[in-house]
Amino acid sequence: KYLTPNELGHEGSEAPESPVPVIKAYAVMDAPSEAVFDLLLDNSRVQEYNDNCKCVLDLEKIDSDTKITWATSPKFGPFRARDFCTLVHFRVFDDKRLVVVNQPATHVKAPCSKSFVRSEVILAGTILRPLASDPSKTEILTITAINAGGAADSRAGAMVMNTVATTAPVNFVRRLEASAKSSP
């Protein structure tokens, strides 16, 4: 689904000029939720499960559950690589839900660069919980809204983004499951 800037709560000059894709995925993974959560916490393994993320660096630890990260994507066809500066919050709830929430951030260690197109994770969330009927499996729900910026707002860019939006969630969940199953 695509949401307009007003539906996302953006106002004024910071609002993306075109609708922002919102990607939702739900699955049951054959891996324990703690292994999946630990994998999401480990920046060094991101390339194992996320084709759209080339690297992730922690810039600042805000508290034990919150940090600011800088991440880059690979090039997509003729389009330059993107970079993102993101506030990431991790939470473990008493009912065994494990949650990761992301929103855009700025940081002095992540200035805009001509090497990348600055993009924004407008809002992203991943909820993990053990499957009630089989706690060795994980229910995963992930929702992401990204403003890719730059040429992604063009007709050709929209075609690339639509392809990414339809394939990325499936690939992400499958590869995340495989990586979690192979975790030590």
Side-chain angles (χ1 to χ4, degrees):
K1 178 177 181 175
Y2 288 84
L3 297 179
T4 65
N6 287 340
E7 290 172 316
L8 286 168
H10 284 273
E11 297 176 11
S13 62
E14 295 181 17
E17 293 180 15
S18 61
V20 176
V22 177
I23 303 166
K24 175 184 170 186
Y26 170 83
V28 174
M29 299 170 58
D30 188 17
S33 58
E34 294 84 2
V36 177
F37 190 67
D38 289 345
L39 191 58
L40 293 173
L41 293 171
D42 187 352
N43 294 347
S44 70
R45 296 185 66 193
V46 71
Q47 289 183 335
E48 289 180 38
Y49 60 86
N50 191 339
D51 294 330
N52 301 310
C53 196
K54 191 171 179 182
C55 83
V56 178
L57 300 174
D58 289 347
L59 300 179
E60 182 179 344
K61 189 169 183 158
I62 306 298
D63 60 36
S64 62
D65 299 319
T66 310
K67 62 184 180 178
I68 296 177
T69 65
W70 178 76
T72 64
S73 75
K75 279 183 63 175
F76 292 101
F79 302 107
R80 288 189 4 226
R82 271 50 186 152
D83 75 336
F84 302 84
C85 187
T86 309
L87 179 74
V88 184
H89 182 74
F90 302 90
R91 180 64 59 97
V92 177
F93 289 91
D94 292 337
D95 65 358
K96 300 188 180 183
R97 278 178 302 143
L98 307 165
V99 177
V100 183
V101 179
N102 306 56
Q103 70 178 44
T106 58
H107 198 279
V108 66
K109 293 181 183 175
C112 292
S113 159
K114 292 185 186 240
S115 300
F116 301 98
V117 173
R118 179 56 52 102
S119 300
E120 287 184 304
V121 174
I122 304 294
L123 181 64
T126 301
I127 302 170
L128 308 167
R129 68 177 174 195
L131 185 63
S133 61
D134 184 351
S136 69
K137 296 183 179 184
T138 301
E139 283 185 285
I140 179 171
L141 172 65
T142 184
I143 298 174
T144 306
I146 295 177
N147 175 16
D153 291 337
S154 68
R155 180 178 293 242
M159 290 172 54
V160 170
M161 291 305 296
N162 284 337
T163 299
V164 169
T166 57
T167 60
V170 174
N171 293 339
F172 173 79
V173 169
R174 285 181 179 158
R175 291 182 65 187
L176 185 62
E177 176 183 50
S179 295
K181 287 170 73 170
S182 69
S183 291

